[in-house]
């Protein structure tokens, strides 16, 4: 059995995904054969593996950090929220049904412990090390009995646990201490120590607190990672895009006005290109726009008001787990009318997956919303019927004279009645999507990551918008991702005690760690 480690966090969004990716990249650069693992992930940002399995995008990016192909073993349970009360359960890459939170935590989750432990054991039998990511906090005492992703997996596989805390939020010492003190004695035995994330300032000022934390808990701090802009990997949800306001409407986070974080460079041409992304409810795979944000001179922002579309050169309607719900939201907000005006004026609009479906004539949905036939926006001559079986593929085609790779995750089946095919095979036969004028629609996620196609698409958008924008000739999205993963590996190598970290991965938690009262309630 190989070495292993569970990266837990004091809170959601403490930096577990980033730290896991960083440790993976550091290890693989040392010649270690390593794989990522997350037993259970709740995310609307997902990816399709080569064998046609759906997993969280964060685990796909962590696999890239390891320089290995992602597989369903790396994320055996994926929960895709359909609202505040229910989620689609994806098991070993395939959907197995909808379930309420109460039903899942009431029994189904605990029954999956054997499955996730088997997946982890298979990975550990293949790789030198497996770096596991937890979810939320391991000290969620109301969920400990059925936990399969934090201390449940750590106990089952005897993994040492490293707790990550986001010091930028404040209260990190109390969070570290409280996390340990709320665990049972058996769980505490596996918590080896802490890692401080997002520190700004002079580390020497932090050291007295770290010494006191060691004295109080008997556990050391394995490193202090400095704050760095633009280091996030593909997020699990909208928490990774800092919202200006929060709302419980539709069970969503409002991202109004939020600019997608990237290392922006000045435009190559005379003008910038402005992209407005409609922040629809249950927005999924909004990471599709990352490739646009990576282009010098392209400004990507999320919007939820019709007036915010006025100066946009391109409007993107992204994927969503609730196509009919998103359509209703667009109409209520006045965004639907604004999109229709844009289409009539031949101003560029791009719909991706659910965004493509709602641009069609009508939607027949007995699967997602169960509302039957619903009128779409009618911009594209497309009729959509939701099938019980989910399409999960990794297609390849051509568009605008360039090769395109993507991945499909959808229940909706599009019957295209006219217009031009958006994506074709090498003989020009339609594969997917539809184009009418300056409105495009496609089911393919990730297509904009194909550099040649992205540049060709942006040239068309700029021409239609009357902008003197020129795409950079040398932007490689895959190359930028590799640079980002290397920067994460550098953070671990330069700011963590890597010798102690490797001993932890190889040998497990130190023996004789003290119990911190009161422990988990009986």
């Amino acid at each position: 059995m190989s070495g292993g480690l569970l990266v837990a966090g004091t809170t959601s969004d403490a930096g577990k995904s980033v730290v896991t990716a960083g440790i993976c990249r550091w290890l693989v650069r040392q010649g270690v054969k390593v794989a990522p693992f997350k037993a259970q992930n709740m995310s609307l940002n997902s990816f399709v593996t080569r064998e046609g399995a759906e997993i969280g995008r964060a685990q796909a990016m962590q696999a890239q950090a390891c320089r290995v192909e992602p597989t369903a073993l790396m994320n055996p349970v994926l929960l895709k929220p359909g609202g505040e009360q229910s989620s689609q359960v994806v098991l070993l890459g395939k959907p197995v049904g909808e379930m309420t939170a109460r039903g899942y935590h009431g029994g189904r989750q605990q029954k999956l412990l054997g499955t996730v432990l088997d997946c982890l054991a298979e990975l550990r039998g293949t790789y030198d090390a497996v770096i596991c990511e937890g979810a939320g906090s391991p000290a969620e005492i109301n969920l400990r009995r059925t936990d399969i992703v934090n201390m449940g997996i750590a106990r089952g596989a005897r993994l040492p646990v490293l707790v990550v805390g986001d010091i930028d939020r404040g209260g990190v010492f109390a969070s570290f201490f409280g996390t340990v003190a709320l665990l049972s004695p058996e769980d505490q035995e596996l918590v080896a120590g802490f890692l401080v994330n997002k520190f700004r300032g002079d580390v020497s000022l932090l050291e007295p607190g770290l010494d006191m934390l060691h004295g109080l808990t008997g556990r050391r701090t394995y490193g202090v990672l400095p704050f760095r802009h633009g280091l996030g990997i593909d997020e699990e949800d909208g928490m990774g895009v800092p919202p200006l306001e929060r709302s419980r409407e539709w069970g969503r986070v409002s991202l109004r006005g939020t600019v997608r974080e990237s290392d922006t460079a000045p435009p190559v041409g005379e003008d910038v290109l402005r992209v407005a992304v409609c922040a629809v409810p249950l927005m999924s795979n909004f990471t599709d726009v990352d490739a646009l944000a990576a282009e010098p001179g392209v400004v990507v922002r999320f919007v939820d008001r019709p007036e915010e579309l006025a100066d946009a050169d391109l409007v993107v309607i992204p994927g969503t787990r609730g196509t009919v719900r998103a359509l209703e939201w667009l109409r209520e907000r006045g965004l639907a009318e604004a999109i229709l005006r844009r289409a009539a004026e031949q101003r560029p609009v791009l719909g991706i997956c659910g965004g493509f479906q709602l641009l069609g004539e009508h939607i027949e949905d007995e699967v997602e919303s169960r509302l039957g036939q619903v009128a779409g926006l009618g911009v594209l001559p497309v009729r959509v019927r939701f099938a019980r079986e989910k399409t999960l593929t990794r297609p390849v085609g051509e568009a605008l004279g360039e090769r395109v790779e993507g991945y499909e995750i959808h229940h909706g089946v599009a019957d295209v009645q006219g217009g031009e095919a958006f994506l074709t095979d090498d003989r020009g036969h339609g594969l997917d999507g539809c184009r009418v004028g300056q409105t495009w629609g496609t089911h393919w996620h990730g297509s904009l990551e194909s550099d040649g196609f992205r540049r060709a698409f942006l040239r068309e958008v700029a021409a239609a918008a009357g902008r003197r924008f020129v795409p950079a000739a040398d932007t490689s999205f895959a190359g930028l991702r590799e640079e980002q993963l290397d920067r994460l590996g550098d953070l671990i190598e330069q700011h963590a005690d890597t010798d102690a970290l490797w001993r932890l991965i190889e040998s497990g938690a130190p023996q004789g760690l003290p119990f911190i009262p009161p422990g988990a309630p009986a």
Side-chain angles (χ1 to χ4, degrees):
M1 193 67 76
S2 69
L5 175 70
L6 175 69
V7 178
T10 57
T11 63
S12 295
D13 203 36
K16 297 183 293 293
S17 296
V18 168
V19 168
T20 300
I23 293 174
C24 288
R25 178 49 60 101
W26 160 65
L27 285 172
V28 80
R29 293 194 310 203
Q30 309 309 308
V32 178
K33 187 180 179 183
V34 60
F37 179 78
K38 185 161 186 174
Q40 173 191 292
N41 196 348
M42 177 172 280
S43 177
L44 286 173
N45 287 339
S46 58
F47 183 74
V48 179
T49 67
R50 292 206 180 278
E51 71 266 33
E54 185 179 7
I55 65 172
R57 276 201 65 92
Q59 279 61 65
M61 287 296 293
Q62 289 162 357
Q64 185 174 343
C66 298
R67 296 178 179 147
V68 298
E69 272 292 321
T71 72
L73 292 174
M74 297 172 183
N75 179 206
V77 181
L78 174 64
L79 306 178
K80 304 194 72 174
E84 290 190 6
Q85 298 297 325
S86 67
S87 293
Q88 183 181 67
V89 180
V90 179
L91 180 61
L92 294 173
K94 303 297 180 183
V96 293
E98 294 279 334
M99 188 164 289
T100 65
R102 180 178 293 275
Y104 184 68
H105 290 287
R108 178 63 184 269
Q109 183 181 33
Q110 195 171 26
K111 293 178 182 178
L112 294 174
L113 181 59
T115 299
V116 300
L117 286 172
D118 287 345
C119 291
L120 177 56
E122 187 169 343
L123 288 174
R124 295 183 75 185
T126 305
Y127 292 88
D128 300 329
V130 179
I131 308 302
C132 307
E133 180 189 343
S137 164
E140 292 169 349
I141 54 179
N142 57 314
L143 303 177
R144 176 62 186 92
R145 182 179 59 83
T146 57
D147 170 49
I148 64 170
V149 66
N150 289 307
M151 300 313 299
I153 196 78
R155 285 267 293 277
R158 303 305 299 172
L159 293 171
V161 178
L162 183 69
V163 181
V164 177
D166 179 358
I167 197 170
D168 199 46
R169 294 182 173 189
V172 73
F173 292 115
S175 298
F176 281 146
F177 183 87
T179 296
V180 179
L182 279 178
L183 299 178
S184 69
E186 295 80 6
D187 286 350
Q188 287 193 25
E189 288 177 1
L190 296 172
V191 178
F194 313 107
L195 187 74
V196 177
N197 192 28
K198 299 183 184 177
F199 180 72
R200 307 172 191 250
D202 185 346
V203 176
S204 66
L205 299 176
L206 190 66
E207 288 171 351
L210 300 179
D211 291 340
M212 285 186 274
L213 182 67
H214 184 259
L216 288 166
T217 67
R219 291 159 174 84
R220 58 167 299 174
T221 297
Y222 284 76
V224 178
L225 307 186
F227 184 92
R228 293 286 187 270
H229 283 285
L231 278 185
I233 64 172
D234 291 8
E235 292 93 350
E236 293 180 356
D237 52 41
M239 289 297 293
V241 183
L244 295 185
E245 62 185 39
R246 295 184 183 275
S247 168
R248 291 185 67 81
E249 175 200 15
W250 293 116
R252 67 188 289 274
V253 175
S254 172
L255 307 175
R256 182 179 58 79
T258 299
V259 176
R260 196 78 174 115
E261 185 179 21
S262 62
D263 293 327
T264 55
V268 176
E270 297 180 42
D271 290 342
V272 300
L273 209 61
R274 297 173 176 84
V275 179
V277 183
C278 296
V280 296
L282 299 174
M283 183 168 52
S284 62
N285 286 66
F286 59 80
T287 48
D288 283 331
V289 302
D290 285 354
L292 297 177
E295 282 285 345
V298 176
V299 179
V300 178
R301 70 182 188 273
F302 292 88
V303 304
D304 61 7
R305 294 178 179 176
E307 58 268 24
E308 293 175 302
L309 304 187
D311 67 343
D313 302 307
L314 170 66
V315 169
V316 177
I317 310 172
T320 171
R321 173 82 164 85
T323 301
V324 172
R325 182 181 298 185
L327 183 58
E328 183 179 342
W329 179 85
L330 289 172
R331 286 177 169 138
E332 288 181 350
R333 288 287 179 125
L335 285 159
E337 186 178 344
I339 291 167
L340 290 171
R341 283 198 304 270
R342 285 187 66 92
E345 295 166 1
Q346 297 297 303
R347 300 178 66 197
V349 176
L350 171 64
I352 302 174
C353 201
F356 165 42
Q357 295 167 3
L358 59 80
L359 286 170
E361 295 173 354
H362 71 249
I363 300 165
E364 187 180 333
D365 181 12
E366 298 291 350
V367 176
E368 211 170 63
S369 68
R370 298 185 177 88
L371 290 178
Q373 187 162 306
V374 177
L377 294 184
V379 180
L380 296 176
V382 175
R383 298 170 184 174
V384 176
R385 177 185 57 81
F386 273 65
R388 297 285 175 186
E389 294 295 317
K390 182 185 285 191
T391 298
L392 297 167
T393 63
R394 291 271 292 272
V396 177
E398 294 183 1
L400 304 180
E402 300 286 347
R403 176 182 168 87
V404 184
E405 295 183 25
Y407 56 99
E408 296 184 62
I409 306 170
H410 55 90
H411 285 279
V413 178
D415 179 13
V416 179
Q417 301 284 310
E420 304 173 39
F422 189 9
L423 295 129
T424 66
D425 61 19
D426 56 6
R427 297 181 179 180
H429 300 143
L431 290 177
D432 178 77
C434 181
R435 175 182 181 177
V436 173
Q438 296 300 321
T439 300
W440 296 267
T442 176
H443 272 132
W444 291 18
H445 294 291
S447 61
L448 294 167
E449 295 176 18
S450 299
D451 297 328
F453 166 66
R454 183 180 64 255
R455 287 192 279 269
F457 178 70
L458 290 176
R459 281 193 291 269
E460 289 230 359
V461 168
R467 296 288 185 189
R468 290 171 291 184
F469 169 85
V470 179
D474 58 352
T475 300
S476 166
F477 187 69
L480 291 172
R481 271 185 168 167
E482 277 296 303
E483 289 176 14
Q484 188 179 51
L485 291 169
D486 276 332
R487 290 172 67 197
L488 292 176
D490 292 343
L491 271 187
I492 298 299
E493 189 169 336
Q494 296 166 12
H495 300 281
D497 185 340
T498 52
D499 288 340
L501 196 57
W502 176 246
R503 287 195 298 271
L504 189 63
I505 293 168
E506 191 175 41
S507 303
Q511 297 297 308
L513 292 170
F515 171 70
I516 308 302

